[in-house]
Amino acid sequence: MTDTDSTYQSLVSSLESRGIDTQALAGKLGSLEIETPSWGYADSGTRFGTFQQPGRPRDVFEKLQDAAEVHRLTGTAPAVALHFPWDSVSDLSELADAITAAGLKVGAINPNVFQDPDYRLGSLTNPDPGIRRKALDHLLECSQIATALGSTGLSLWFADGTNYPGQDDLRGRRARLEDGLGELYSAIPEDQELLVEYKLFEPAFYATDLADWGSALLICLKLGERAKVLVDLGHHAQGVNIEQIVALLEREGRLGGFHFNNRKYADDDLIVGSVNPFELFLIFVELTSGSSELPRLTLDQSHNIEPKLEAVVRSVMTLQESYAKSLLVDAGELAQAQASGDVLRAHELLLDAFNTDVRPLCARVRTGLGAAEDPLNELRRSAYVQVQTARRSAQNQSEPTPLKG
Ligand code: RM4
Ligand code: MN
Ligand code: MN
């Protein structure tokens, strides 16, 4: 028996002695699906600068190659979320074919109504009706792109907001947002959902039009049941209890999905679980204890100083591990402890799950999926990065994609 076999066997016996069905657990882990973001493979940085990495993809087709490599290594990243116009192509059917040929499927389509200079005072909320129309036309075009690529989700983030008190009428902006989104909602096909993302601040520093989950949910309730809230872990005030937001949205059937990342101070877009792994675990506890299936789970990270592919692989593995740990929580005992007011026993049941080293199980599940036992090591040892770097450096590199908001 190798070392890996023996650590796996001892984990299995300890889990079985806790009454956990490891086969069922492995089955659930094996069906976890993470969407990786095309923009996470490309150049991105801070507002102060971007450190370009050799071998970075030059277009969406090269981003797909990287996404496929992440899926090959982890077995858990079969979908890729796209951002337009960053991922624009002249022929959408060629892009659809490339996604399939890479062994991937398309994730959510992310429109961009935040970069064009016309959006200085907002997109759908802009006081100028012509600019509102332009933003809406882009959103409608993205819905058509979603249809052409077979995507079922339009993921909407608006940079809209004001910097100064008095700059614009707060209720007027809300009305314009509702009108624009209402028109979009009635135009999209039945198999598409709107995922409405909120963010407390940045780039607007006085009043963001969709600043929190409440203002996003209110608009979703008005739009209809295919409008749901998207939770980005970097978009809250300090100390906000994100797992509670998750629980409440799930209960209302309005949890559309996640943008996973981590932060220390603001919208830092760091690798998921890097700063607060316990928070990530608690979010998964809420996801697995609810009655719904897992929602759309997407990464939204910006890798500035770390190697991008390693960062994405690390993130997918951390999501596998967090999900696995959340499945170890003894729901029956937890309910009992809660009902009898046994505060610390209830808390300890969460700690028992969180403190279990599930890595040998995740490794076993990955090999069962035909992926890598140790994805990071395999990536570092493989020639993939070198080969792509040589190939991609042979021609002029593309301009870096714009700084990450
Ligand atoms: C925003 C938000 C969006 C992402 C942009 C680039 O902060 O997280 O999801 O599309 O950044
Ligand atoms: Mn996001
Ligand atoms: Mn963000």
Side-chain angles (χ1 to χ4, degrees):
M1 198 154 73
T2 66
D3 277 1
T4 357
D5 285 339
S6 70
T7 42
Y8 173 68
Q9 288 308 339
S10 75
L11 174 62
V12 168
S13 26
S14 114
L15 292 179
E16 301 274 340
S17 71
R18 282 157 65 181
I20 292 163
D21 176 351
T22 43
Q23 286 301 323
L25 180 59
K28 284 188 177 171
L29 277 181
S31 54
L32 180 65
E33 292 194 354
I34 307 297
E35 285 185 28
T36 68
S38 66
W39 59 100
Y41 298 102
D43 271 325
S44 48
T46 68
R47 73 184 81 204
F48 302 107
T50 298
F51 301 109
Q52 298 191 344
Q53 295 186 9
R56 64 195 179 276
R58 292 165 297 182
D59 58 24
V60 64
F61 298 102
E62 293 183 349
K63 294 174 196 170
L64 292 177
Q65 292 173 339
D66 287 359
E69 181 64 5
V70 171
H71 183 44
R72 186 186 75 75
L73 292 163
T74 62
T76 295
V80 62
L82 300 174
H83 219 301
F84 290 89
W86 292 344
D87 293 325
S88 287
V89 291
S90 52
D91 179 356
L92 282 171
S93 64
E94 193 191 342
L95 180 56
D97 290 347
I99 293 170
T100 313
L104 297 168
K105 42 189 184 183
V106 66
I109 300 301
N110 292 246
N112 180 331
V113 283
F114 47 84
Q115 240 178 345
D116 189 294
D118 276 351
Y119 299 135
R120 188 173 67 90
L121 300 178
S123 61
L124 288 187
T125 62
N126 199 296
D128 179 338
I131 293 173
R132 295 205 293 277
R133 187 71 243 169
K134 171 174 166 165
L136 187 57
D137 284 346
H138 175 63
L139 299 175
L140 292 167
E141 184 199 350
C142 281
S143 169
Q144 284 159 10
I145 293 174
T147 303
L149 297 177
S151 166
T152 55
L154 266 192
S155 195
L156 306 175
W157 174 67
F158 297 95
D160 294 45
T162 52
N163 270 5
Y164 293 96
Q167 178 188 320
D168 199 358
D169 179 69
L170 299 178
R171 291 184 189 79
R173 293 181 73 85
R174 185 71 179 181
R176 292 172 220 147
L177 184 63
E178 286 177 2
D179 286 352
L181 284 177
E183 196 172 330
L184 177 65
Y185 188 85
S186 53
I188 60 172
E190 297 244 310
D191 64 346
Q192 282 176 23
E193 302 189 315
L194 291 187
L195 305 165
V196 181
E197 183 174 359
Y198 58 90
K199 174 170 168 173
L200 181 61
F201 78 105
E202 194 194 44
F205 290 113
Y206 169 65
T208 299
D209 290 301
L210 280 168
D212 57 21
W213 71 278
S215 56
L217 178 61
L218 276 179
I219 224 159
C220 290
L221 293 174
K222 285 195 179 171
L223 290 173
E225 58 186 20
R226 285 179 294 111
K228 297 180 179 163
V229 180
L230 185 134
V231 178
D232 182 313
L233 271 58
H235 288 189
H236 307 86
Q238 290 287 353
V240 164
N241 185 331
I242 302 177
E243 57 271 23
Q244 187 180 28
I245 296 172
V246 170
L248 299 184
L249 287 174
E250 190 275 337
R251 188 166 186 272
E252 298 300 323
R254 295 291 179 150
L255 180 62
F258 285 87
H259 274 178
F260 282 118
N261 49 48
N262 215 175
R263 62 88 169 267
K264 182 72 179 164
Y265 296 109
D267 188 19
D268 305 351
D269 284 325
L270 300 174
I271 292 174
V272 65
S274 54
V275 178
N276 194 344
F278 193 53
E279 176 186 71
L280 182 66
F281 162 76
L282 294 173
I283 288 170
F284 269 102
V285 170
E286 292 309 328
L287 287 177
T288 50
S289 59
S291 49
S292 333
E293 312 233 298
L294 290 176
R296 197 182 282 270
L297 307 174
T298 309
L299 295 175
D300 182 12
Q301 303 177 160
S302 174
H303 308 297
N304 192 26
I305 57 170
E306 65 277 34
K308 292 174 198 300
L309 270 189
E310 288 181 27
V312 180
V313 167
R314 176 63 267 168
S315 300
V316 174
M317 291 170 67
T318 298
L319 291 172
Q320 290 172 328
E321 290 158 15
S322 264
Y323 179 47
K325 288 178 183 207
S326 73
L327 294 169
L328 302 183
V329 175
D330 188 328
E333 258 208 75
L334 182 61
Q336 257 179 18
Q338 290 171 343
S340 63
D342 195 341
V343 177
L344 274 192
R345 178 71 195 130
H347 179 58
E348 271 169 4
L349 284 162
L350 294 189
L351 293 182
D352 283 347
F354 178 67
N355 288 321
T356 307
D357 185 357
V358 294
R359 289 176 296 181
L361 176 67
C362 293
R364 190 55 67 104
V365 168
R366 278 192 298 269
T367 48
L369 291 168
E373 183 174 330
D374 182 345
L376 272 178
N377 243 329
E378 189 166 323
L379 175 62
R380 288 172 187 144
R381 278 202 323 257
S382 82
Y384 180 82
V385 172
Q386 276 170 311
V387 168
Q388 295 301 357
T389 302
R391 190 172 290 156
R392 294 172 187 176
S393 310
Q395 292 155 42
N396 284 340
Q397 286 284 355
S398 61
E399 284 303 303
T401 5
L403 304 183
K404 177 73 169 66

